[in-house]
Amino acid sequence: MRTIQKLLVTTSCFAALMAAPAMAQDAAPADEAAASAGDAIVVTGSRISRPNIAAAAPITSVTSEAIKLQAAVNIEDVLNRLPQVAPDSQQNYQDSDGRQRIKLRNLGFERTLVLVDGKRLGTMNGQDTGMIPTALVKRIDVLTGGASAVYGSDAVAGVVNFVMDRDFTGIRLDGNYNFYVHQNTPGLISEVARNYNFAQPARGLAVDGGRADVNLTVGKKLFDDRLRLQGYVNYRQGDLVPYSARESSGCQLIQSVKDGPLGCTTSTYTKTGYVSPLSGPNNGSGYVNNPDGSRNFLPYSDALAANPYDGYSFQRNSQRWNAGGFAQFEISDAATLYTDAMWFRDKSVNGYPARVLSYTALGTTPYTVKCNNPFMSAAQSQAICGANAGTATAVPIELRYRFSGVPDQDDTYINQGLRISSGVRGNFADGWSYDVGGVYARNRQDFTTGAVDFSRVNKSLDTVLVNGAAACASGTADGCLPFDPFSAASATNNQALFNYLSQGTYGTTTTINTMYQGVATVQGDLGKMGIKSPFAEQGVAIAFSAEYREDRFKSYADPVYRSFNGGTDSSLSQHVWEGMTEIQAPLVEHKPFAETLQFNGAFRLSKYNTNPKTFSTWKTELVWAPVRDITFRGSVNRAQRAPTVVEASQGANISYGRITTAYSDPCAPTLVRMTTDPSTGQQVPVYGAPQASRDACRATGLADNQYGSATLLCPTDVGCTYRSGGFTVDPETAYTKTVGVVLRPRFIPGLTLSADRYLIDLNNSIGYNDYSYFSAGCAQTASDFFCKAFVRNADGTLYSNPNTNPSTGFIRQGTTNYYKSKAHGWDFQAQYALRLGDRIGKLDFDFNGSLSTLLGGQDSPILPVKNCAEGYFGDNCSQFIPKWSHTLRTTYTTPDQKFQLSLNWRYLGPLTNTTNSGDAALGGTAANARTTFYRISPYNYFDLAVNFRVNEIYSFRISANNLLDKDPPILANSYNYGLSRNNTLSARYDSLGRQVAVGATVKF
């Protein structure tokens, strides 16, 4: 791959001028995109397939042509460019598990249902769209809005349905390779990092981050096309791009005080070592070894600190294999057998420095060193041991060391998945059909991590001289090597020593998510029986469906992992029985002022074994086209998301513990100061009024005469008590409404315009809230919603013995239903095909825009709605959705379709920190307003793609995302906003710069 990079560098300038990423949102109306499949059109969001059906809910379709133009390596690369999708790039930041998930409307991946040809991809806990082979995707339908009545739980924000190409015959080889070509220019980060002597990337062109994707597809039709077979093998590989490769992430930029001076995050894990005596005259002092190699200590300071994140992943090193196949055999019109199999294995790593960790990371007992350790100079021994210097006395010590001669270590994630879908479908009677099948999906993740062994560090520190050479006092039976932490240039700080210190410390934890789904659907055209409107040509269509679905979750770890990280093994399961009916009723067709008037509806009942209740979802839709040129559409859905098997277990299982933080009952008196009691001379507290009002405390069950009593103070040695769990977690319920218009004016052939208003109101959101959420909420609002979490003893106290499973004397916390989330806005789409003449070709324009008008939630019935739709980021609005974003792609195609040139414009609206929102509900007060890092200007990205179809066998593509190599916005304290330490919002912006891609297809 390195060789390929070097060869391609010579063409990078040309590529930067000619190439760009192909779009991810070339949208086509769902009915047109599906028309090639045959007369019966399957519209995502319905179990009924029939001719001439139009979608009643807005659907954006991403075509296979768009995917190929973009030379996309991963499905997420395609979807992340849709305005309706909250970007998620799990392999582009350090703190992630590598799985790829889709989040519509910024409502979380758990509220977006992912389907493959109308059936679930797998469990919500284990979902990974990396399983889906990019080269075999015919189109991707993105339906935004509720669809639980048709598909079941989770379709709250919408549905993403991957429609696979099942008609391919022959042999096809697809290959894509992309890499980054970015100009590093010193700027703010370099200027700040210079004060810490942190190394920065060289100024100039950086060419890195290569990603390769090779896919082999074969297909064959036999027995007069009754037997169709397809198979594929895919390999994907991505190179590491560390933070240190970009000026924008040369250190983690921090601003400790609002609008204060800027700094870099520093680490005591320096390559010259860190030593802190824990006894003697210098107890608690911090030292580093003199970088000049002499055995002298220097006081620890930022000037001698390390950059802790220089090797962290901007793009993770990864390898992925996909393989699978599709088969179907038509026995007769009445029975067609089908089966699909999809398998993948993905390995990605997060690098971190090879270190001797602080003893506090491994336990509570400090390391020990003898004061006559032969590696210590007299001055060092005096600093560490004081009067015991030079003796055999063992003293406690704190050590931290980043090895200089050892490569970075890896946290390794291996994600594996298998999905098998099988069944039989066919036609019977007159106008009736059925589909009986099921899905088995299994996702496994193995996470391996390690550390040094505490006892081995102590053995290596216990060093003596043997024949003038340093050796372990314990001998070499277990391979012990002496550890010299007292010099910046120690030859013993090498791979062999690190191997000894870390031997046997790498542990693995495994999670397995399994889904079993059985679905039986029968649909029929009642028009064949004469059941239809007298004003319509088509009859009423109806579908019935029964479904059983079981989710299983298993988690376990080896003894090494448990010894370092704790935790317990678990095995959980949850199942549901469901029944659904759906109807499509054309009311009027081809009449004056009613070219089409159609009603659609669906109803589903669900019964979960983890909940005593039965739940229902439904939808109603209306499509009205007064003339062929104009179609109005609207829908109302009651959609639900059931708790995952993990959430249901977390809610139900009860455990108790102590609140060991400085928590105080808000109804207890508050400490004002300490004063001296003149009669005893002892320090005594002076208390003030409680944090909560008398009304709020009364709502917690506290008697008025106990308000402000010192008896309510939690014992300082044990703290208050909490109880986790004991909740029955109900499904979330969302009422999703859409209304829109589609224009296809006949006087402008090839033009389609649509505008849709969506309103998603989610009630009873499922989430985890700890004791502080309920305590602070009760003190602020006196609402029963919060205050009922207090379960007091008869004397009003909140402390009991957790080991006795108490029925009173605690504050509740855990996974439960709390309140509301909302997402309102507008979607706009436009497509226009402009014919330029038989000798010139055509221009295609595709536009997709999204406007947010309400995005946020409400934490209790009496608190205001938090609205982040104006483009806010930060506290309460951490997902940073611009108010307006769009894409506009213009594609020129020659008459012979052998050449395409496509330019894509991506626009991301401005973002403002919530501190400057002016909205008190978001923390936008005058006191919080910032003058620095409070606004991100609008961003315009331009992508260019060129496609050459040389002949029927061979085609070639070249493209470039972020053609102008626009730098990402810089934010201080970026980890607070996006769980990444690279000083930007990496999931939304093109953080690594210009990406050049080349691709080719060979078909036989």
Side-chain angles (χ1 to χ4, degrees):
M1 182 166 289
R2 303 291 184 189
T3 303
I4 297 175
Q5 282 185 349
K6 292 177 182 178
L7 291 173
L8 289 174
V9 167
T10 60
T11 64
S12 63
C13 294
F14 168 78
L17 295 174
M18 287 196 62
M23 67 146 279
Q25 59 275 345
D26 291 309
D31 52 346
E32 290 184 359
S36 61
D39 292 334
I41 298 172
V42 179
V43 175
T44 296
S46 175
R47 294 284 187 187
I48 299 173
S49 57
R50 64 191 310 189
N52 305 319
I53 284 299
I59 296 176
T60 298
S61 289
V62 184
T63 65
S64 59
E65 288 77 12
I67 297 173
K68 288 179 181 178
L69 275 174
Q70 190 175 336
V73 174
N74 297 313
I75 285 293
E76 62 271 15
D77 293 342
V78 178
L79 292 175
N80 280 349
R81 298 186 184 278
L82 290 173
Q84 294 82 3
V85 174
D88 189 33
S89 189
Q90 292 286 313
Q91 296 199 7
N92 277 9
Y93 64 90
Q94 181 88 7
D95 302 292
S96 65
D97 61 9
R99 290 183 290 185
Q100 305 302 323
R101 293 162 170 173
I102 302 169
K103 299 184 292 186
L104 288 175
R105 301 298 184 203
N106 200 44
L107 291 175
F109 74 89
E110 66 275 12
R111 299 183 182 99
T112 298
L113 181 61
V114 178
L115 308 173
V116 176
D117 288 322
K119 292 185 173 67
R120 288 174 180 260
L121 175 64
T123 71
M124 193 56 68
N125 284 327
Q127 177 178 292
D128 191 337
T129 57
M131 174 183 286
I132 298 170
T134 306
L136 276 177
V137 174
K138 184 176 183 178
R139 74 177 194 273
I140 307 171
D141 287 347
V142 180
L143 183 152
T144 53
S148 294
V150 174
Y151 296 116
S153 176
D154 307 327
V156 171
V159 171
V160 178
N161 185 21
F162 292 88
V163 181
M164 311 305 293
D165 182 1
R166 299 174 180 276
D167 291 325
F168 176 77
T169 59
I171 301 174
R172 186 179 69 206
L173 182 65
D174 295 283
N176 297 302
Y177 181 78
N178 57 48
F179 58 98
Y180 294 97
V181 181
H182 174 68
Q183 185 73 29
N184 271 319
T185 304
L188 174 63
I189 306 300
S190 297
E191 181 181 335
V192 176
R194 191 178 301 118
N195 298 327
Y196 297 82
N197 298 316
F198 288 170
Q200 296 296 291
R203 179 172 186 155
L205 202 64
V207 181
D208 53 21
R211 297 192 302 168
D213 174 67
V214 180
N215 191 89
L216 175 65
T217 306
V218 296
K220 183 68 174 178
K221 296 180 181 180
L222 301 168
F223 306 117
D224 296 326
D225 295 347
R226 291 166 55 201
L227 177 61
R228 299 182 182 184
L229 301 173
Q230 287 178 280
Y232 65 90
V233 176
N234 173 250
Y235 175 71
R236 285 176 263 184
Q237 190 267 341
D239 289 342
L240 168 70
V241 180
Y243 282 0
S244 57
R246 293 293 183 272
E247 191 282 333
S248 59
S249 55
C251 77
Q252 182 188 15
L253 193 66
I254 57 172
Q255 191 176 45
S256 301
V257 179
K258 178 175 70 73
D259 300 326
L262 297 173
C264 290
T265 299
T266 59
S267 172
T268 53
Y269 289 95
T270 74
K271 292 183 179 180
T272 62
Y274 174 88
V275 178
S276 178
L278 298 180
S279 64
N282 297 311
N283 184 3
S285 298
Y287 302 105
V288 295
N289 295 306
N290 196 318
D292 65 7
S294 63
R295 294 186 181 272
N296 294 305
F297 285 145
L298 296 176
Y300 173 78
S301 67
D302 282 346
L304 298 171
N307 183 348
Y309 307 126
D310 52 355
Y312 271 35
S313 303
F314 221 144
Q315 175 178 286
R316 293 161 64 164
N317 185 298
S318 64
Q319 300 87 35
R320 178 177 293 174
W321 283 96
N322 293 67
F326 310 139
Q328 68 176 47
F329 180 61
E330 183 183 349
I331 300 173
S332 67
D333 287 344
T336 297
L337 303 177
Y338 62 88
T339 187
D340 308 340
M342 301 168 63
W343 170 88
F344 86 110
R345 183 183 188 273
D346 174 87
K347 178 182 178 182
S348 64
V349 296
N350 282 332
Y352 61 93
R355 297 168 295 182
V356 170
L357 296 175
S358 164
Y359 77 89
T360 59
L362 304 174
T364 58
T365 304
Y367 299 119
T368 57
V369 65
K370 291 181 179 177
C371 296
N372 61 354
N373 185 295
F375 289 126
M376 286 194 296
S377 67
Q380 289 174 320
S381 181
Q382 180 68 36
I384 293 172
C385 300
N388 292 316
T391 70
T393 304
V395 296
I397 194 172
E398 166 72 311
L399 292 175
R400 302 171 190 177
Y401 211 102
R402 179 171 177 174
F403 281 72
S404 57
V406 179
D408 284 354
Q409 304 305 292
D410 291 333
D411 279 347
T412 302
Y413 292 89
I414 297 178
N415 290 297
Q416 302 176 72
L418 174 65
R419 180 184 184 273
I420 300 174
S421 174
S422 298
V424 57
R425 58 176 175 257
N427 303 318
F428 66 98
D430 184 13
W432 289 85
S433 63
Y434 69 94
D435 188 334
V436 179
V439 176
Y440 167 80
R442 184 179 188 268
N443 290 78
R444 170 174 173 153
Q445 181 181 91
D446 296 294
F447 168 55
T448 301
T449 187
V452 297
D453 182 86
F454 175 82
S455 63
R456 289 184 174 229
V457 173
N458 268 336
K459 278 187 178 182
S460 291
L461 286 173
D462 188 7
T463 305
V464 296
L465 291 177
V466 177
N467 298 324
C472 296
S474 61
T476 60
D478 65 348
C480 182
L481 294 173
F483 175 32
D484 174 12
F486 304 113
S487 172
S490 172
T492 62
N493 296 328
N494 54 29
Q495 186 71 58
L497 174 62
F498 185 80
N499 290 345
Y500 169 73
L501 296 179
S502 61
Q503 183 177 346
T505 64
Y506 281 79
T508 300
T509 180
T510 299
T511 58
I512 300 174
N513 292 275
T514 308
M515 184 191 76
Y516 303 89
Q517 181 188 28
V519 183
T521 301
V522 176
Q523 62 170 305
D525 185 351
L526 300 184
K528 303 288 185 179
M529 304 167 59
I531 302 176
K532 65 177 184 177
S533 165
F535 307 106
E537 296 178 358
Q538 296 188 99
V540 174
I542 194 167
F544 301 96
S545 179
E547 180 174 347
Y548 172 81
R549 188 172 64 255
E550 181 176 352
D551 290 346
R552 295 182 182 178
F553 172 87
K554 187 176 183 180
S555 175
Y556 58 88
D558 59 29
V560 175
Y561 184 91
R562 287 280 181 251
S563 67
F564 281 94
N565 300 281
T568 58
D569 296 351
S570 62
S571 181
L572 312 172
S573 67
Q574 176 180 249
H575 69 258
V576 59
W577 288 95
E578 296 184 302
M580 186 276 293
T581 183
E582 182 182 4
I583 187 173
Q584 290 180 355
L587 303 177
V588 182
E589 292 180 300
H590 312 309
K591 305 295 182 190
F593 304 107
E595 178 66 23
T596 299
L597 179 62
Q598 178 175 303
F599 169 81
N600 305 326
F603 181 80
R604 177 180 290 258
L605 280 177
S606 305
K607 179 66 179 71
Y608 292 86
N609 68 311
T610 53
N611 199 303
K613 304 174 187 176
T614 299
F615 300 93
S616 64
T617 55
W618 48 261
K619 75 168 184 177
T620 60
E621 300 175 336
L622 190 66
V623 179
W624 175 45
V627 294
R628 287 173 51 192
D629 309 65
I630 304 173
T631 300
F632 298 98
R633 58 190 179 188
S635 67
V636 179
N637 284 262
R638 173 186 161 99
Q640 288 185 332
R641 179 182 82 87
T644 66
V645 62
V646 174
E647 289 171 329
S649 176
Q650 289 174 339
N653 293 329
I654 296 175
S655 62
Y656 295 87
R658 296 291 194 189
I659 303 174
T660 57
T661 59
Y663 172 77
S664 179
D665 185 336
C667 300
T670 55
L671 178 65
V672 176
R673 66 181 186 277
M674 299 295 292
T675 188
T676 302
D677 186 335
S679 61
T680 63
Q682 301 293 319
Q683 289 287 301
V684 294
V686 176
Y687 291 110
Q691 295 176 332
S693 67
R694 188 178 297 272
D695 287 341
C697 293
R698 189 180 296 127
T700 71
L702 187 70
D704 284 352
N705 63 349
Q706 295 172 325
Y707 178 70
S709 171
T711 62
L712 300 179
L713 293 168
C714 299
T716 56
D717 55 338
V718 295
C720 287
T721 305
Y722 68 80
R723 189 185 89 173
S724 291
F727 303 98
T728 297
V729 185
D730 291 333
E732 303 173 338
T733 300
Y735 292 92
T736 67
K737 297 174 281 292
T738 62
V739 59
V741 60
V742 180
L743 304 177
R744 293 176 179 170
R746 281 168 285 181
F747 56 88
I748 308 179
L751 175 65
T752 300
L753 303 170
S754 67
D756 292 275
R757 172 71 163 158
Y758 66 87
L759 302 99
I760 303 175
D761 297 299
L762 178 64
N763 300 325
N764 301 319
S765 298
I766 299 171
Y768 178 87
N769 291 298
D770 67 9
Y771 62 87
S772 62
Y773 167 83
F774 292 102
S775 182
C778 179
Q780 294 170 12
T781 69
S783 167
D784 182 64
F785 177 84
F786 293 109
C787 298
K788 65 183 180 183
F790 289 78
V791 183
R792 297 185 179 276
N793 290 319
D795 61 0
T797 57
L798 286 176
Y799 46 90
S800 298
N801 184 353
N803 298 325
T804 63
N805 296 325
S807 59
T808 61
F810 53 79
I811 184 171
R812 298 177 73 180
Q813 66 176 22
T815 298
T816 184
N817 301 94
Y818 56 110
Y819 213 56
K820 296 182 178 181
S821 297
K822 295 177 179 292
H824 297 178
W826 289 87
D827 282 335
F828 301 93
Q829 295 187 55
Q831 297 88 37
Y832 181 44
L834 177 61
R835 306 289 177 178
L836 302 176
D838 294 339
R839 295 186 178 183
I840 301 177
K842 68 172 182 174
L843 284 173
D844 289 292
F845 301 90
D846 292 278
F847 176 83
N848 188 1
S850 185
L851 175 71
S852 294
T853 59
L854 176 58
L855 184 65
Q858 190 175 10
D859 288 337
S860 85
I862 64 174
L863 291 179
V865 173
K866 293 180 291 188
N867 185 6
C868 303
E870 293 300 320
Y872 296 129
F873 70 93
D875 291 342
N876 299 307
C877 296
S878 60
Q879 294 294 330
F880 32 85
I881 298 296
K883 185 177 182 64
W884 171 259
S885 60
H886 74 246
T887 62
L888 172 62
R889 176 169 289 279
T890 303
T891 302
Y892 167 72
T893 306
T894 57
D896 58 7
Q897 298 186 345
K898 289 186 176 182
F899 175 79
Q900 279 186 322
L901 178 67
S902 187
L903 178 67
N904 187 37
W905 170 30
R906 293 180 279 136
Y907 175 83
L908 300 173
L911 295 174
T912 302
N913 198 309
T914 53
T915 56
N916 292 58
S917 65
D919 186 344
L922 301 179
T925 63
N928 290 335
R930 303 179 61 92
T931 59
T932 58
F933 302 108
Y934 68 90
R935 189 175 188 273
I936 297 175
S937 298
Y939 260 64
N940 293 280
Y941 289 112
F942 295 95
D943 312 324
L944 188 66
V946 182
N947 182 40
F948 303 91
R949 187 169 64 87
V950 180
N951 50 44
E952 296 298 325
I953 295 176
Y954 176 71
S955 62
F956 173 76
R957 303 171 295 276
I958 183 168
S959 62
N961 296 316
N962 187 8
L963 181 65
L964 302 180
D965 193 25
K966 192 173 180 66
D967 289 326
I970 298 298
L971 281 177
N973 309 319
S974 63
Y975 190 79
N976 297 340
Y977 306 122
L979 296 182
S980 59
R981 301 176 175 90
N982 51 22
N983 307 315
T984 190
L985 308 178
S986 58
R988 178 157 295 278
Y989 297 92
D990 290 10
S991 305
L992 288 169
R994 180 191 300 113
Q995 185 183 60
V996 177
V998 293
T1001 297
V1002 180
K1003 181 180 178 181
F1004 304 96

